[in-house]
């Protein structure tokens, strides 16, 4: 039972063959301090013991075919019950006990009906050792430019309010190849929402060979090859097409115009290339973005 005197957070977790590390993550979720946790899990077609482990911690479990992490998390958000706060969890992290209560303190500073999205920094666990990230590039709230341009928040750090949940609930994107963190961040921005970034780490991010996303790329050349590869699926134009389809009526004229331009950027590369409003990262991020636009890989 959740104590009605403390804040309730609905924690949404999608699992897929995560049995090796799942127990530590679930333990850290249920041991969150000064909040009431309601854990809801969707298993995305696991063939290992993930379901057996999850059943020790919650009865709120749904199962289904493998639809991928983006679609699985969107379904979790859309089907979640009404609450003031929601959090996304990965299956292999470890949360510090104050992670959720800290997020709520930040969100409560804004007495508003706007959508609010909170994210925090992390430390990393690799080969049994915890590291602070070197040369951290903290998130910059650059507003909506159509391109994320290197400043992306992690889904596993996100806590958000009911207003943003309702926005995710009212429209299901089609054909996206990005991650759920990208979609939530952009939906929040185009709907005049508030994005909060906490520079203090509140969870341990596990680096291992099976990470779906997030493995560090230290070499600039390797990163450039990855971004310009024919195998990379561009998503900025597809995101903007979906944003226009789902939220055009909520957008400011400026954001609607930007969305429309990015949705067709492959047909009008020259116009995009020489418009400074799209280049809001540091020098290297801007160079990479320019090259991605030229390659049609943005």
């Amino acid at each position: 039972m959740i104590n009605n005197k403390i804040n309730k957070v609905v924690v949404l977790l999608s699992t897929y063959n995560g049995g090796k590390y799942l127990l530590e993550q679930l333990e850290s979720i249920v041991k969150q301090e000064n909040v009431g946790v309601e854990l809801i899990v969707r298993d995305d077609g696991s063939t290992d013991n993930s379901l057996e482990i999850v059943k020790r911690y919650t009865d709120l479990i749904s199962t289904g075919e493998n639809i991928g992490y983006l679609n699985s998390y969107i379904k979790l958000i859309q089907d979640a019950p009404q609450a003031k706060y929601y959090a996304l969890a990965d299956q292999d992290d470890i949360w510090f006990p104050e992670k959720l209560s800290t997020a709520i303190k930040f969100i409560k500073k804004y007495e508003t009906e706007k959508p609010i999205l909170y994210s925090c920094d992390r430390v990393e666990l690799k080969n049994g050792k915890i590291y602070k990230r070197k040369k951290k590039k903290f998130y910059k709230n650059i507003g909506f430019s159509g391109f994320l341009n290197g400043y992306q928040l992690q889904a596993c750090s996100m806590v958000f309010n009911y207003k943003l949940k309702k926005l995710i609930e009212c429209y299901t994107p089609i054909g996206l190849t990005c991650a759920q963190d990208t979609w939530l961040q952009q939906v929040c921005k185009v709907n005049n929402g508030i994005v909060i970034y906490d520079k203090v780490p509140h969870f341990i991010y596990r680096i291992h060979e099976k990470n779906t996303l997030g493995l560090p790329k230290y070499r600039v050349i390797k990163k450039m090859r990855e971004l310009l590869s024919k195998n990379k699926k561009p998503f900025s134009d597809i995101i903007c097409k979906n944003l226009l389809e789902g939220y055009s009526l909520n957008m400011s004229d400026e954001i609607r115009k930007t969305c429309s331009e990015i949705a067709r950027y492959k047909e009008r590369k020259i116009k995009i290339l020489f418009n400074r409003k799209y280049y809001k990262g540091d020098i290297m991020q801007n160079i990479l973005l320019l090259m991605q636009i030229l390659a049609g890989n943005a």
Side-chain angles (χ1 to χ4, degrees):
M1 294 292 291
I2 294 175
N3 186 340
N4 291 327
K5 293 183 180 180
I6 61 177
N7 295 296
K8 172 185 171 181
V9 184
V10 174
V11 177
L12 304 172
L13 170 63
S14 178
T15 55
Y16 178 70
N17 290 345
K20 184 175 181 180
Y21 303 114
L22 190 54
L23 190 63
E24 284 184 282
Q25 169 67 307
L26 291 170
E27 281 289 322
S28 72
I29 290 173
V30 299
K31 291 180 179 178
Q32 288 295 292
E33 297 174 347
N34 301 314
V35 295
V37 171
E38 182 173 335
L39 176 62
I40 301 177
V41 177
R42 181 186 182 277
D43 186 78
D44 198 31
S46 292
T47 55
D48 68 351
N49 64 339
S50 293
L51 268 176
E52 295 175 27
I53 297 171
V54 167
K55 287 176 181 178
R56 303 179 204 171
Y57 292 87
T58 181
D59 296 323
L60 302 174
I61 305 169
S62 62
T63 59
E65 62 179 340
N66 186 284
I67 57 176
Y69 50 84
L70 169 66
N71 293 318
S72 189
Y73 274 101
I74 287 177
K75 184 168 178 55
L76 273 167
I77 295 169
Q78 292 178 337
D79 294 344
Q82 182 172 348
K84 276 191 174 183
Y85 309 104
Y86 301 84
L88 302 185
D90 276 355
Q91 62 187 4
D92 50 7
D93 297 330
I94 304 171
W95 288 4
F96 297 161
E98 80 292 343
K99 181 178 185 292
L100 294 181
S101 59
T102 300
I104 291 171
K105 288 178 183 177
F106 273 87
I107 293 173
K108 279 187 170 182
K109 292 178 181 179
Y110 297 86
E111 294 294 334
T112 178
E113 292 300 313
K114 292 182 178 183
I116 302 176
L117 177 65
Y118 164 93
S119 176
C120 65
D121 198 23
R122 74 194 193 208
V123 294
E124 296 177 348
L125 176 62
K126 186 176 182 180
N127 298 325
K129 295 182 179 180
I130 293 178
Y131 300 87
K132 291 184 178 180
R133 288 197 288 165
K134 295 180 180 179
K135 297 182 180 179
K136 289 186 288 187
K137 292 182 179 178
F138 290 120
Y139 172 83
K140 293 182 180 179
N141 197 346
I142 59 176
F144 181 77
S145 69
F147 299 108
L148 286 170
N149 207 11
Y151 296 113
Q152 189 168 343
L153 306 173
Q154 278 190 283
C156 54
S157 70
M158 289 180 172
V159 180
F160 53 96
N161 65 354
Y162 181 64
K163 182 69 175 180
L164 183 53
K165 181 259 198 276
K166 290 295 289 182
L167 290 168
I168 300 298
E169 183 180 316
C170 74
Y171 176 74
T172 302
I174 299 171
L176 290 190
T177 57
C178 63
Q180 61 274 12
D181 44 24
T182 302
W183 180 243
L184 261 70
Q185 183 178 332
Q186 299 297 59
V187 169
C188 187
K189 286 184 175 182
V190 301
N191 286 281
N192 194 31
I194 297 169
V195 177
I196 304 167
Y197 181 71
D198 180 2
K199 293 182 180 180
V200 178
H202 293 292
F203 72 105
I204 299 170
Y205 181 79
R206 193 188 301 269
I207 302 292
H208 58 84
E209 71 284 354
K210 292 185 179 180
N211 282 86
T212 304
L213 296 170
L215 286 174
K217 309 290 184 183
Y218 295 109
R219 301 175 70 96
V220 173
I221 293 176
K222 187 175 183 180
K223 184 67 174 177
M224 290 173 66
R225 286 176 177 169
E226 175 196 349
L227 291 173
L228 299 175
S229 167
K230 292 180 180 180
N231 296 323
K232 181 186 180 297
K233 296 179 180 179
F235 55 70
S236 294
D237 55 336
I238 301 173
I239 285 180
C240 285
K241 289 174 184 176
N242 275 281
L243 291 172
L244 287 166
E245 180 69 25
Y247 307 105
S248 181
L249 293 177
N250 298 345
M251 295 178 183
S252 67
D253 291 342
E254 182 181 353
I255 286 179
R256 191 180 300 109
K257 181 181 178 182
T258 299
C259 250
S260 298
E261 290 172 348
I262 299 302
R264 297 183 296 153
Y265 88 88
K266 292 176 186 176
E267 306 164 16
R268 310 171 74 185
K269 291 179 183 177
I270 300 301
K271 183 176 181 180
I272 299 296
L273 284 172
F274 293 99
N275 194 327
R276 292 182 63 184
K277 75 177 182 179
Y278 299 114
Y279 299 91
K280 297 185 178 181
D282 59 31
I283 293 175
M284 182 53 64
Q285 287 165 342
N286 287 338
I287 291 172
L288 289 174
L289 176 58
L290 186 147
M291 294 177 70
Q292 284 182 275
I293 292 171
L294 282 171
N297 268 9

